[in-house]
Amino acid sequence: GVHVKEKDTDNIPFIKEQFTKLTCRHQKDIVIGTSAHSIESALANWKLYQPNYFFVGTCYLTQSHPEKDARDLEGPTLPGIIKRAIKEEEINVEEGSREKSSLDERRRQPLIFAIG
């Protein structure tokens, strides 16, 4: 799988295409995730690219982001907020759809991970 930085999510279609060519696998078998630092970013990237997971945060003070202090943290509640927002978005899409697709054809909810 591949982790794509939030600022580079527009590369996800290209990455999926390249992995498909190189591995002869279907795109649904490729694990690609990205970071999210806001609800808006997560929803936009979910709608456009359907990553398999989001690393959400920075939730806590950590050495991996020494430039952030307590005022810059997105906080430990953001992963749950993003998960609920994506779920609500999917419900709205399904309710607005005239045809119900099979389970395999529906987008699956991404995994949400809180990061330091």
Side-chain angles (χ1 to χ4, degrees):
V2 177
H3 180 79
V4 180
K5 290 184 176 187
E6 184 177 34
K7 67 180 182 64
D8 298 322
T9 55
D10 58 332
N11 291 320
I12 289 176
F14 174 76
I15 293 167
K16 285 181 179 180
E17 179 182 319
Q18 293 303 306
F19 261 77
T20 301
K21 285 180 183 177
L22 294 172
T23 63
C24 299
R25 293 183 178 210
H26 191 277
Q27 285 190 6
K28 70 178 183 177
D29 297 328
I30 299 166
V31 176
I32 296 181
T34 188
S35 303
H37 298 280
S38 71
I39 297 166
E40 296 79 16
S41 169
L43 282 174
N45 285 319
W46 173 247
K47 289 176 188 177
L48 290 171
Y49 309 118
Q50 296 85 47
N52 300 99
Y53 69 85
F54 284 101
F55 282 163
V56 179
T58 305
C59 293
Y60 308 99
L61 292 175
T62 176
Q63 291 301 316
S64 64
H65 289 284
E67 75 282 3
K68 291 189 174 187
D69 64 23
R71 295 171 297 205
D72 299 322
L73 301 178
E74 287 85 15
T77 60
L78 186 59
I81 292 168
I82 287 175
K83 185 172 183 76
R84 286 188 296 278
I86 289 173
K87 185 174 184 174
E88 185 173 309
E89 179 66 27
E90 285 304 293
I91 290 169
N92 291 339
V93 167
E94 286 182 10
E95 287 176 352
S97 175
R98 293 176 192 236
E99 296 178 16
K100 295 290 182 182
S101 58
S102 71
L103 183 59
D104 288 340
E105 293 174 2
R106 280 189 239 167
R107 297 188 291 188
R108 295 188 178 157
Q109 292 283 315
L111 297 173
I112 308 289
F113 299 97
I115 58 171

